[in-house]
Amino acid sequence: MKSNTVFNFSLLFLLSLILVYLLNMVDYKYNAENGVIIKYIGENNYSKVTTNEISDKINQYLINIESSDQDINTQLLEDLILEDKYIKKAEVYLDLEGVVNIHIFLSEPYVRLLRRNNIYYIDSDWVILPINSSVERNLLVLSGDLNKKNVNNLIDKIYSDKFLNNLIGGIHYEKETGYILSTKLCDLGIQVGKESNLDFDKINMIKKFYRFFINELDCLSCKEINIQYDNQIICIK
C-alpha cells in the first residue's frame, strides 16, 4: 500500500514537471485584436481619476509594443502600473490567446494622519498616499505619538461600530494620558487610557453618556470625559 502511494506521488510529480515544460515552450504573443482585460481588486470609488490614468498608461504602452513589433514585457508593464501610489500590487500575464490580463490591487485610504500641521492619507499598512479629492469616506484623523500595531485595533473597532463611526472624528495619543478620542459632539474629548482596546463596557459607557449629554447638558458642561475607571464617568471642564 505504501509503495503504491509513493509511486502515485512520483508519477504526479513527473507529470507536473512535464506540464511546466510544455507551458514554457508555448510562445505567448500579445494579440492586439483580443484586447486587454483589466480587473481592479478593492474599492475604487475614491480613485476614478487614478484608474483612468492607469488604463491610459497600459494602452499607450501596448500601442508602442504593437508599432515596434516587440514582445510584451510583463515585468516592465507591472513596474509602469506601480508608479501610481494608489496601487498596492499589479499582476500582468498573457494567456494562450494573446490577451493581456491585468489584476490591479488598489490601496485604500484608511485614516488621515496629522504631522507638523500637515494632513496625510495613509492606508492600513501605513503607506502614505497622495491626497485625492475623490475620497468620500469619513476618515479618522490621527495625531500624537501613535503606535501602528496598537492603534489599528482601535481604528478597526471604531469603523466597525456604527455609533462610534458616526461619533468619533479622531484619535490622539500622549504618553502621560494615553488615548484620547475626539468626538463630533461639541468637540468633546474622551480619555480611554493607555490601552487601545475599547471593550463592550467602555462603549456602553460612551453611549449612555451621549444620551445623557444630549438631554441634560450643553457644549460648555465638559471639555473631556474620562472613562478609564469601571462604572464611572469623570467630567473634566
Side-chain angles (χ1 to χ4, degrees), residues 172-180 191 193-194 228:
H172 180 75
Y173 180 82
E174 295 179 0
K175 291 182 179 180
E176 296 78 14
T177 57
Y179 292 94
I180 302 175
Q191 294 186 17
K194 296 187 177 181
Q228 297 183 62

Side-chain angles (χ1 to χ4, degrees), residues 101-199:
N101 292 266
I102 302 174
H103 290 178
I104 297 174
F105 298 80
L106 295 169
S107 292
E108 298 181 35
Y110 181 55
V111 292
R112 288 174 290 175
L113 182 65
L114 178 61
R115 284 285 185 269
R116 300 182 184 88
N117 295 322
N118 292 318
I119 289 286
Y120 303 93
Y121 287 124
I122 62 174
D123 65 11
S124 57
D125 295 321
W126 285 53
V127 175
I128 296 178
L129 303 173
I131 292 178
N132 191 318
S133 60
S134 298
V135 175
E136 298 176 355
R137 186 179 177 187
N138 189 19
L139 300 177
L140 290 167
V141 178
L142 306 186
S143 60
D145 188 18
L146 293 164
N147 181 290
K148 169 188 171 183
K149 181 179 179 181
N150 291 334
V151 77
N152 274 3
N153 297 328
L154 186 54
I155 294 169
D156 290 338
K157 177 70 73 173
I158 293 172
Y159 279 153
S160 61
D161 187 285
K162 185 177 180 180
F163 172 81
L164 293 178
N165 196 26
N166 290 329
L167 178 66
I168 306 302
I171 303 172
H172 180 75
Y173 180 82
E174 295 179 0
K175 291 182 179 180
E176 296 78 14
T177 57
Y179 292 94
I180 302 175
L181 309 181
S182 61
T183 74
K184 302 167 189 175
L185 178 66
C186 301
D187 199 26
L188 179 74
I190 303 176
Q191 294 186 17
V192 298
K194 296 187 177 181
E195 296 296 327
S196 61
N197 182 39
L198 269 180
D199 57 24

Side-chain angles (χ1 to χ4, degrees), residues 65-106:
I65 288 295
E66 186 181 8
S67 61
S68 61
D69 196 29
Q70 298 178 21
D71 292 336
I72 186 172
N73 185 328
T74 56
Q75 183 60 55
L76 181 62
L77 185 51
E78 287 179 2
D79 292 341
L80 184 66
I81 295 170
L82 288 172
E83 289 178 357
D84 191 295
K85 298 301 182 182
Y86 270 92
I87 305 302
K88 183 177 293 187
K89 184 173 68 171
E91 296 177 352
V92 179
Y93 67 93
L94 285 167
D95 62 22
L96 293 174
E97 296 179 351
V99 177
V100 179
N101 292 266
I102 302 174
H103 290 178
I104 297 174
F105 298 80
L106 295 169

